Amino acid sequence: MTVTRLRLASVMPLLVLAGLCVAISIAEPRFLSIDNLIRIAAASAAPLVLALGATFVILMGSIDLSVEGSMAFASAILAACVANANGAGLDLGLAALPLVIAAAALFGALIGVIHTYLRVPSFMASLGMGFVGLGIATIMLGGERVGIVDESIRALALTRILNLPISIYVATFMLALAWVIQNHTRIGRRMLALGGAEQLVVASGVNVRHVRILVFAIAGAFFGVGAVLASARLGASSALVGSGQLFTAISAVVVGGTALTGGSGGVLATLLGVLIVMVLNNGMVILGLPTFVQQGVLGIMIIIAVLLNQPIRGLAVAK
Amino acid sequence: MTKFAGTIPWLGLIAAILIVAAFDASFLRPMTLIGLFSDSATLFLMALGMTWVIYIGSIDLSLQAVAAVSSVILALLIPQYGMVAIAVALVAGVLFGLVSGFVHGVLKLPSFIATLAVGGIAATAALALSGERSIQIDATPRTDSLSWAIGRTLDIPNEIWVSLIVLALAMVIEQMTPFGKAMKALGSGEPAARIAGIRIQRTKLIVFMFAGLFAALSGVVLAGRLSSGSPTIANEFLLPAIAAVVLGGTSLAGGSGGVLRTLVGTLLIVVARTGMTFIGINALAQQIVFGLVLIAAVSLSAGRAQKGIMK
């Protein structure tokens, strides 16, 4: 029984994605036009990078609800480091990116420290810090939306190479990076081990706290990159730059097939999940359905996906 | 230590009131305080629902969307159906709670993901029903059907009476019924509660249904106060509601705390918020303080949590 469920769970996201594409293109052939496919890819760039960050945290059995706050924080740092509409930015150009990513990684590490050393459950630590990030961004930006005028940052969303926006290349690079981290680094293996069997990891002498903090920091760095892409697309920095991204990121990870209990799934599953979410979104737009229906559909898909991915008796205590 | 734990939030509340009063003595006037407490009634009602959810060791991230749905339902139905609209709005809240409780309790999804998903469904329902806009409630139906919530009795705003009555009922349920005992057992330790013969699934269902009911009531009172129902009406409520519960002393690890503590927690939040506004801290920036306070309160109260659930 369990075996069939698992097999079904691993093929399911692919079937859902294929089914969605077929259904939408039958209803509206324009869906398959090159322009539209590029549009989907461009719209998926930031959500993919964000969902990859969330994937790492979920793989080790924790959760990060700080996506929107971390993005707001990173976006505000970005505005402070590049030429902005207020004229107060440092004008560092692309040199701002390492700073933004480092700041976002530190923010993530802080969540990890609170989670591990103060023993606050990760959903609460990240929820609280998410609001802290929103607050900091609000103060830094004076509660307003600050336009980003730096050409090199805007170019991430506007300039095209081979007819594809640069953001797509960035997202692809981050996907490759995430895959390497997951499969070919020590932290990647420990992260998966932690999600699969924490006691064994502890018993083998690994400092679990350091692993958790590092994973939260890596996730934070990914949220930072996602925030840069989202700000470039928006052409501005805003405390609300990540609005709605938490729901999208978590549902993409879960719908893609990564188990919330940790240890199974991964970055490629998340790619599928993001595509499902974004194809659904695009399909609703071109079919003329109101986009807010998406949240409801995703809500139902989250529940089904989590059900398919969790062992039947494993979660006797579901907190 | 545990003996005094219950009094710390009360002392904190008195200290907070005195600090704010030191900046502006007019804060201590009865009318100011009464006004403050009536403004906090909607937050308190939502926090009440959150209390039992946290008390049994779960979380409900859907409550602000549930409050929004019921405010929209109320605003849509009240011109024609009057008081019946209130009943429908409350039933809708209970139903969303039932779905959350079912997904969490019976299907065994972790509560944060179950309620995140149900919250998405509720938000969609609110947007669809309202056509993505705010719906006005005219003066006549408002005075006819909602005066119990927004008028004054004995010179005290009815929001306060409603809060106190609901609080009294909730205390009776929590302290004097088998359901209350079942909640406590469940929060203290689910495996032990199961062995003791507590019906876990039924208890969880009822807890989430109450959370939905209180959130819906919060949405109804909010719609009455603002003369409108809207899909975004309760958007800033989730963090303060969780913070009110945790700050009052209900432990996230479950099993200790209760609705009376949430009253103190809510008052603390509201006084702190007023104080920060006095000093001139922007409402959105206040989230920094609430976020940190939330983490601090959880880390101080989580001492007895088993390591197993600290994911």
Side-chain angles (χ1 to χ4, degrees):
Chain A
M1 178 66 188
T2 316
V3 176
T4 29
R5 272 169 65 101
L6 280 179
R7 202 168 286 160
L8 184 64
S10 58
V11 192
M12 201 61 175
L14 207 54
L15 291 179
V16 169
L17 181 60
L20 268 178
C21 289
V22 170
I24 296 171
S25 45
I26 288 173
E28 176 55 82
R30 268 186 308 155
F31 172 78
L32 286 176
S33 71
I34 298 291
D35 275 350
N36 191 51
L37 294 180
I38 292 178
R39 203 174 297 134
I40 295 176
S44 307
L48 174 63
V49 177
L50 297 167
L52 289 173
T55 306
F56 292 144
V57 177
I58 293 177
L59 274 178
M60 67 173 180
S62 298
I63 187 80
D64 196 331
L65 301 179
S66 77
V67 176
E68 296 175 7
S70 296
M71 284 180 76
F73 174 70
S75 181
I77 300 277
L78 177 70
C81 291
V82 300
N84 64 36
N86 284 353
L90 285 176
D91 202 7
L92 294 176
L94 284 178
L97 296 185
L99 283 178
V100 172
I101 294 168
L106 267 181
F107 194 79
L110 188 56
I111 297 175
V113 168
I114 291 172
H115 167 46
T116 52
Y117 281 91
L118 299 183
R119 302 219 301 146
V120 176
S122 60
F123 76 87
M124 197 45 105
S126 56
L127 189 71
M129 284 306 288
F131 284 108
V132 171
L134 280 178
I136 294 175
T138 309
I139 292 179
M140 286 181 65
L141 299 169
E144 289 174 17
R145 186 167 156 157
V146 175
I148 290 176
V149 287
D150 187 283
E151 291 298 325
S152 50
I153 301 292
R154 299 296 317 269
L156 288 174
L158 298 177
T159 305
R160 289 171 172 245
I161 299 173
L162 299 176
N163 203 21
L164 296 176
I166 294 181
S167 58
I168 295 182
Y169 296 98
V170 175
T172 311
F173 171 75
M174 295 307 284
L175 176 67
L177 182 65
W179 188 81
V180 170
I181 292 177
Q182 175 190 284
N183 292 323
H184 295 284
T185 63
R186 188 189 288 172
I187 182 70
R189 276 197 299 277
R190 289 187 171 168
M191 173 175 84
L192 279 163
L194 209 51
E198 181 163 348
Q199 273 85 353
L200 290 183
V201 182
V202 176
S204 56
V206 175
N207 187 328
V208 172
R209 284 176 167 174
H210 291 177
V211 174
R212 287 194 183 280
I213 293 169
L214 185 55
V215 170
F216 271 98
I218 295 174
F222 274 75
F223 297 156
V225 175
V228 171
L229 292 180
S231 304
R233 204 171 148 84
L234 191 64
S237 165
S238 154
L240 300 177
V241 69
S243 201
Q245 294 294 348
L246 170 67
F247 193 78
T248 310
I250 303 286
S251 45
V253 174
V254 169
V255 169
T258 296
L260 279 173
T261 41
S264 84
V267 297
L268 293 181
T270 295
L271 174 65
L272 275 182
V274 171
L275 289 177
I276 290 175
V277 173
M278 298 317 288
V279 163
L280 191 64
N281 185 21
N282 178 272
M284 292 195 168
V285 174
I286 62 174
L287 294 180
L289 292 169
T291 46
F292 61 76
V293 176
Q294 189 195 359
Q295 243 190 333
V297 175
L298 280 180
I300 295 167
M301 282 170 70
I302 289 179
I303 295 173
I304 296 173
V306 178
L307 272 179
L308 282 175
N309 284 317
Q310 80 183 354
I312 303 176
R313 295 231 157 260
L315 275 188
V317 180
K319 286 269 172 171
Chain B
M1 184 59 200
T2 42
K3 210 172 162 187
F4 300 110
T7 56
I8 290 172
W10 289 102
L11 294 176
L13 177 62
I14 293 170
I17 291 179
L18 290 179
I19 291 170
V20 178
F23 279 96
D24 184 353
S26 70
F27 183 72
L28 283 180
R29 268 186 224 145
M31 287 322 292
T32 318
L33 288 174
I34 287 176
L36 199 63
F37 297 158
S38 70
D39 288 343
S40 62
T42 45
L43 174 61
F44 175 65
L45 290 171
M46 188 177 289
L48 266 189
M50 190 71 83
T51 307
W52 289 343
V53 174
I54 291 182
Y55 191 70
I56 63 166
S58 302
I59 190 86
D60 194 332
L61 302 177
S62 73
L63 292 185
Q64 55 183 1
V66 171
V69 174
S70 28
S71 81
V72 168
I73 292 177
L74 178 80
L76 283 174
L77 297 184
I78 205 166
Q80 282 180 28
Y81 301 101
M83 295 294 258
V84 178
I86 298 171
V88 176
L90 295 182
V91 168
V94 173
L95 285 180
F96 277 109
L98 177 66
V99 175
S100 289
F102 179 79
V103 175
H104 170 52
V106 180
L107 300 183
K108 293 209 167 71
L109 266 66
S111 57
F112 70 83
I113 197 81
T115 54
L116 194 70
V118 172
I121 297 170
T124 298
L127 288 164
L129 289 172
S130 65
E132 295 180 76
R133 62 196 167 80
S134 149
I135 297 165
Q136 290 298 315
I137 299 177
D138 293 332
T140 325
R142 186 162 171 256
T143 41
D144 284 353
S145 309
L146 287 170
S147 54
W148 57 269
I150 53 174
R152 295 177 89 86
T153 306
L154 300 177
D155 214 27
I156 289 180
N158 283 352
E159 287 98 332
I160 295 184
W161 292 115
V162 171
S163 301
L164 291 179
I165 291 168
V166 174
L167 173 66
L169 286 176
M171 283 187 68
V172 170
I173 294 173
E174 182 185 282
Q175 302 293 337
M176 299 181 182
T177 64
F179 167 69
K181 301 292 174 225
M183 268 195 316
K184 190 160 181 69
L186 187 52
S188 305
E190 188 168 327
R194 177 176 290 125
I195 291 164
I198 305 281
R199 294 166 72 173
I200 308 272
Q201 293 187 349
R202 199 178 67 169
T203 310
K204 282 186 174 174
L205 277 178
I206 298 175
V207 165
F208 277 87
M209 282 160 76
F210 267 119
L213 174 68
F214 290 145
L217 183 59
S218 164
V220 167
V221 175
L222 202 55
R225 285 174 66 97
L226 301 179
S227 314
S228 68
S230 137
T232 56
I233 201 164
N235 269 9
E236 307 298 330
F237 271 56
L238 188 63
L239 173 70
I242 298 175
V245 174
V246 175
L247 213 55
T250 298
S251 167
L252 264 183
S256 76
V259 288
L260 190 59
R261 297 221 179 158
T262 296
L263 175 66
V264 196
T266 311
L267 295 180
L268 255 175
I269 294 272
V270 174
V271 171
R273 188 186 268 168
T274 315
M276 285 191 281
T277 311
F278 265 145
I279 307 171
I281 301 178
N282 169 307
L284 279 167
Q286 292 178 8
Q287 290 181 320
I288 300 179
V289 178
F290 289 131
L292 291 177
V293 161
L294 186 63
I295 292 169
V298 173
S299 67
L300 290 178
S301 69
R304 277 163 294 132
Q306 311 94 311
K307 259 215 137 172
I309 59 153
M310 300 299 287
K311 295 217 161 170

